[in-house]
Amino acid sequence: MSLCTSNLHPSSSSFNLFSHNNNSPKPSLNSLRLATSTSPSSSVAPLKLSTTNQALRSRFLSNRIQSRQLWIRCATSESEPSISVAPGCNGGAVTAEERVIVLVIGGGGREHALCHALKRSPSCNSVLCAPGNPGITSSGDAACVPDLDVTDSSAVISFCQKHNVGLVVVGPEVPLVAGLANDLVSADILTFGPSSQAAALEGSKNFMKNLCHKYNIPTAKYKTFSDATAAKEYIQEQGVPIVIKADGLAAGKGVTVAMELEEAFESVDSMLVKGVFGAAGCQVIVEEFLEGEEASFFALVDGENAIPLESAQDHKRVGDGDTGPNTGGMGAYSPAPVLTKEVQDVVMESIIHPTVKGMAEEGCKFVGVLFAGLMIEKKSGLPKLIEFNVRFGDPECTDDASRVQSDLAKVLLAACRGELKGVSLDWSRDSAMVVVMASRGYPGAYEKGTIIGNLEEAERVAPGVKVFHAGTGLDSEGNVVASGGRVLGVTAKGRDLEEARERAYTAVGQINWPGGFFRSDIGWRALLQKQVASKD
């Protein structure tokens, strides 16, 4: 018997999705439901993706409380930051000539990187970050607001109105799926991030797969299950290697690439029987294994138009040589040689544009950043969609934040207004690399509270080095300590990938953190490709 339980209930504003596999006739997406019965084709009550989704809100609030407990020494003056406002600036009326106050929601490495990039934007008057983290505060990249409860939409709206915030940028996926952007937009506050309905592209892998099927977006063959026995029978038929994914949000840990049947069966049982991911794992998607090279592709979307960002390649496995379990990302580099101009054009035409158009046709225009996790297939050299995320990638965002030269605030405002057509971004010609330092034991159980030293020294080892904080806090003596699994994103720019890599690892070597670890081979695919090309 499954231990999975869910408190998701019908809603007039919810998306109705039926479990579906891509071997059957294409239904209308608006008539689809998420199945949670023992049959992969049975229908149940629709999934509610709104601010009343208590499962998501409870999880986000729990993380928020932990962050407050660890970050006990954040300057109290940051709770009510002093803000000067450009004349005429308010939440709903911002012209291209005005400078806006930007509020970034979140407190991880992605949010630190966004604050760093927005701080350099000529259109940005000042940057606030809630809750933020000690690294954001100490670097001066933003004024942190640790006491703002970002799980409470009314509190965020009140704060924005009080401080004349002209743009809100929502970093993490959980508040987006829970509906924070819906509430902010309803209050006439310009918000970069999709509605809860559009965020279903990440909140439900089954929804994403069904959209791909209906609009002919290339992705792996799949089938969705809520019954463990049926899932195992299908896996037995398909053979290994095979991929098992939790349907909902699982903090980057809900994917198993099984090379043996036993491993695949254990993954199914852990999700559908043991309920290790709770409601997020009450359905599993079983996918064919795609062989090739993974890459990350980002596009800014205004509901109808999309413009590409620079390419990047993440390293998901925890160990050198791409070994061990999947993580939220152990490092990345940009640009990614595997995403040639030709391949990027194919991604825009076959994946991004059909998705934007399809979401609009389904009545939930997507506004925000669309993050396509891709597999560039070994046989064909063509891209297939692995998954969508509805926010900037972490750690890829740190590379993009280091390389972007355009006025990021101005571009994000254009996206919020539906004015991206004809817009382009300028990028540094330098390469960038980020090496993630994580707490020992991650992605499993890890120790919190270990002291980290020499962070300022690390940033001085070479030009273009920046240490982004992802999971840090302060102890009672003011020491920077680890408060999460992935803790630091040590990022460096260089004339080429080799120089960026050398600088990043030199900086890593300066950091005094016995309780941490890192991969020593970030960028190995691109460097190997370059070596092979030079020999030819």
Side-chain angles (χ1 to χ4, degrees):
M1 177 179 178
S2 172
L3 297 180
C4 288
T5 59
S6 174
N7 62 350
L8 305 180
H9 304 293
S11 166
S12 60
S13 62
S14 62
F15 256 95
N16 299 330
L17 305 174
F18 276 103
S19 179
H20 175 65
N21 67 75
N22 62 348
N23 297 316
S24 59
K26 296 182 183 180
S28 167
L29 199 67
N30 283 330
S31 68
L32 301 178
R33 291 177 185 262
L34 280 166
T36 56
S37 71
T38 56
S39 170
S41 60
S42 300
S43 63
V44 295
L47 173 66
K48 184 175 183 180
L49 298 171
S50 71
T51 53
T52 58
N53 186 331
Q54 295 301 316
L56 288 171
R57 293 178 66 83
S58 296
R59 173 182 153 199
F60 194 40
L61 181 58
S62 175
N63 292 340
R64 175 74 179 90
I65 292 171
Q66 292 177 18
S67 175
R68 281 183 179 176
Q69 291 172 339
L70 284 165
W71 187 5
I72 61 176
R73 296 267 321 259
C74 187
T76 55
S77 62
E78 302 292 18
S79 299
E80 290 291 337
S82 176
I83 301 168
S84 60
V85 185
C89 267
N90 57 59
V94 182
T95 67
E97 292 75 24
E98 292 170 343
R99 301 178 68 214
V100 297
I101 296 168
V102 181
L103 172 64
V104 176
I105 301 292
R110 165 184 47 239
E111 290 75 39
H112 191 175
L114 287 170
C115 290
H116 180 65
L118 289 165
K119 181 75 178 294
R120 309 195 308 269
S121 295
S123 295
C124 187
N125 190 54
S126 61
V127 186
L128 311 175
C129 188
N133 66 48
I136 296 173
T137 299
S138 62
S139 65
D141 286 320
C144 292
V145 194
D147 293 331
L148 176 59
D149 185 357
V150 296
T151 68
D152 183 349
S153 294
S154 61
V156 177
I157 291 169
S158 177
F159 179 88
C160 291
Q161 292 171 340
K162 178 179 179 180
H163 294 289
N164 294 300
V165 170
L167 171 66
V168 176
V169 180
V170 185
E173 65 274 19
V174 173
L176 289 170
V177 174
L180 178 59
N182 301 55
D183 296 336
L184 291 169
V185 171
S186 294
D188 294 324
I189 298 170
L190 290 173
T191 303
F192 184 78
S195 66
S196 59
Q197 293 84 358
L201 282 173
E202 179 170 0
S204 170
K205 294 179 179 63
N206 188 49
F207 172 83
M208 182 273 288
K209 284 289 193 176
N210 292 340
L211 186 87
C212 289
H213 180 60
K214 181 175 181 181
Y215 291 97
N216 298 312
I217 299 165
T219 188
K221 184 177 72 172
Y222 72 99
K223 199 167 184 179
T224 300
F225 298 91
S226 57
D227 176 70
T229 301
K232 290 177 184 178
E233 289 175 354
Y234 180 74
I235 291 170
Q236 184 85 47
E237 294 171 1
Q238 299 301 309
V240 291
I242 202 161
V243 181
I244 299 93
K245 297 180 177 180
D247 176 60
L249 300 178
K253 301 176 184 178
V255 179
T256 299
V257 180
M259 306 307 289
E260 304 290 341
L261 280 175
E262 183 178 354
E263 183 183 10
F265 293 164
E266 288 178 355
S267 178
V268 169
D269 284 340
S270 70
M271 298 181 198
L272 294 181
V273 179
K274 298 178 182 178
V276 294
F277 297 122
C282 280
Q283 285 195 130
V284 298
I285 288 78
V286 181
E287 284 186 352
E288 70 170 318
F289 173 79
L290 298 177
E291 186 176 4
E293 191 169 347
E294 290 190 45
S296 302
F297 188 90
F298 300 87
L300 300 183
V301 183
D302 68 1
E304 296 182 356
N305 306 292
I307 61 172
L309 301 182
E310 280 289 82
S311 63
Q313 187 167 63
D314 190 9
H315 297 63
K316 287 294 185 187
R317 300 280 189 151
V318 72
D320 285 0
D322 291 335
T323 58
N326 276 335
T327 71
M330 293 300 295
Y333 59 90
S334 175
V338 68
L339 281 171
T340 63
K341 178 62 168 61
E342 292 74 20
V343 172
Q344 291 186 56
D345 289 343
V346 172
V347 173
M348 289 296 293
E349 291 305 315
S350 67
I351 296 175
I352 301 299
H353 288 318
T355 299
V356 174
K357 181 179 179 181
M359 293 295 284
E361 290 184 7
E362 299 303 326
C364 56
K365 288 185 177 182
F366 186 96
V367 176
V369 64
L370 197 54
F371 169 6
L374 306 173
M375 179 68 75
I376 312 302
E377 283 201 289
K378 186 175 181 180
K379 291 183 179 179
S380 66
L382 295 175
K384 280 190 175 181
L385 179 67
I386 300 174
E387 64 180 2
F388 272 132
N389 292 324
V390 297
R391 33 71 185 182
F392 288 98
D394 187 350
E396 297 97 331
C397 187
T398 60
D399 287 336
D400 278 351
S402 298
R403 297 185 59 220
V404 66
Q405 294 182 323
S406 294
D407 185 336
L408 182 60
K410 186 175 182 178
V411 175
L412 299 187
L413 286 167
C416 294
R417 296 197 199 94
E419 298 173 354
L420 279 182
K421 189 174 183 179
V423 173
S424 61
L425 291 166
D426 294 325
W427 300 90
S428 167
R429 293 185 178 181
D430 288 343
S431 294
M433 177 179 289
V434 54
V435 178
V436 169
M437 299 188 74
S439 297
R440 291 194 182 278
Y442 176 81
Y446 54 84
E447 183 180 358
K448 295 182 179 180
T450 54
I451 296 176
I452 307 168
N454 287 1
L455 293 173
E456 293 182 3
E457 290 82 352
E459 290 191 328
R460 292 197 293 262
V461 298
V465 173
K466 175 77 174 178
V467 179
F468 293 100
H469 289 231
T472 62
L474 295 175
D475 66 14
S476 59
E477 297 179 357
N479 297 306
V480 176
V481 297
S483 64
R486 291 184 300 147
V487 176
L488 301 172
V490 184
T491 308
K493 290 195 299 181
R495 293 186 304 270
D496 51 29
L497 187 59
E498 289 90 344
E499 184 173 68
R501 184 181 189 277
E502 179 184 0
R503 290 177 173 180
Y505 277 108
T506 300
V508 167
Q510 286 290 315
I511 296 173
N512 181 16
W513 183 26
F517 77 98
F518 56 91
R519 278 184 59 165
S520 63
D521 64 344
I522 303 301
W524 71 270
R525 288 184 182 274
L527 294 171
L528 179 62
Q529 181 178 328
K530 188 171 182 179
Q531 291 172 3
V532 172
S534 64
K535 290 180 181 178
D536 294 341

